[in-house]
Amino acid sequence: MRNDCLFCAIIDGDIPSKKVYEDDLCYAFYDIEPQAPVHFLVVPKEHICCARKIDETNAAVVAHCFAAIAKICKELGCEDYRIVNNCGDQAGQTVKYGADVSVLPSRTGSALSTAPHHRQTAIPSRVFSSAPPCLP
């Protein structure tokens, strides 16, 4: 694993994942321990160990990740969602040496809240139409 980073290994394909989205700058995949019916992570392909290491040299990559989140959620029809980042042990960061953003669409009032578990059906990159919408 480069940088001893789990996320780098996932991006490199050394560890399998269920991809939600991918472009030149970021990779999105379903969480293996979801905290909601749909829970995916977005990570920059450029290794950033944690949020405290975001600075002017990599802020554009992080901004791009947030733009990708908006794009993914729009394609899924999700109007309401939570974005979470844990930075450091005391804040609950469980994957060391890698920055990620968790995205959790609304738990209630959406088609995704009652959809079959997301680990059963991965959404191939750019084939969002096969995913259940968030809104009825």
Side-chain angles (χ1 to χ4, degrees), residues 14-29:
D14 297 332
I15 296 174
S17 67
K18 296 283 188 175
K19 181 169 52 174
V20 176
Y21 174 84
E22 181 176 16
D23 63 28
D24 292 342
L25 299 176
C26 69
Y27 186 80
F29 58 98

Side-chain angles (χ1 to χ4, degrees), residues 20 30 72 75-77 111-112 115 121-124 127-134:
V20 176
Y30 288 115
I72 294 164
E75 291 287 334
L76 291 175
L112 280 181
T121 306
I123 303 171
V127 187
F128 295 107
S129 61
S130 65
C134 282

Side-chain angles (χ1 to χ4, degrees), residues 35-84:
Q35 303 301 306
V38 175
H39 178 177
F40 61 90
L41 305 176
V42 179
V43 296
K45 287 187 173 179
E46 173 185 331
H47 178 79
I48 302 172
C49 74
C50 60
R52 77 174 66 85
K53 296 296 183 178
I54 298 169
D55 59 26
E56 60 279 346
T57 66
N58 58 22
V61 173
V62 175
H64 178 83
C65 290
F66 278 85
I69 290 167
K71 181 178 185 177
I72 294 164
C73 289
K74 182 178 179 180
E75 291 287 334
L76 291 175
C78 300
E79 287 187 11
D80 299 331
Y81 50 92
R82 230 173 7 124
I83 297 173
V84 179

